[in-house]
Amino acid sequence: VALRALLRTSAWHLLVFAGSTHAISQDQITAETTSLPAWLEKVTIIGSRLDDLQGLWDADGRVRHTLAATDGDWILVRPDGYLSARGTGETSLRAALARLSGLHMR
């Protein structure tokens, strides 16, 4: 329910999945997303409560299961709720953001 509410805004969203099988620090999660475009809002989906991790808690794993996501995965969600891109790692995220940034500058 909380994720649906977040996705109802008119922004693009970057869902970053972390913290279900091992501890991942907030610094590791944000390292590859520090310079996000202004039109993109980041939402960290965490699978367990970790003291140093903030985000949306997916206690029963429903979000992960529905989106077939694991730690380190990211998913870009369009303002209309459709998935735009998905991947793992900084390189693929930067490539997807570069393509989208070109569209937002037109």
Side-chain angles (χ1 to χ4, degrees), residues 29-75:
I29 293 168
T30 58
E32 62 190 41
T33 59
T34 53
S35 59
L36 293 176
W39 48 265
L40 183 62
E41 294 180 15
K42 187 184 100 187
V43 178
T44 303
I45 311 292
I46 56 175
S48 62
R49 292 211 183 243
L50 302 170
D51 292 338
D52 61 346
L53 196 60
Q54 296 178 358
L56 183 65
W57 188 34
D58 184 23
D60 59 4
R62 185 178 303 170
V63 174
R64 288 171 181 277
H65 177 73
T66 300
L67 297 174
T70 60
D71 286 352
D73 288 352
W74 55 264
I75 297 175

Side-chain angles (χ1 to χ4, degrees), residues 1 6 8-9 16 18-19 41 48 55 59 66 70 77 83 90 92-93 98 105:
V1 175
L6 285 172
R8 285 193 182 119
T9 67
V16 178
E41 294 180 15
S48 62
T66 300
T70 60
V77 181
L83 302 185
E90 183 176 355
S92 60
L93 175 59
M105 297 186 80

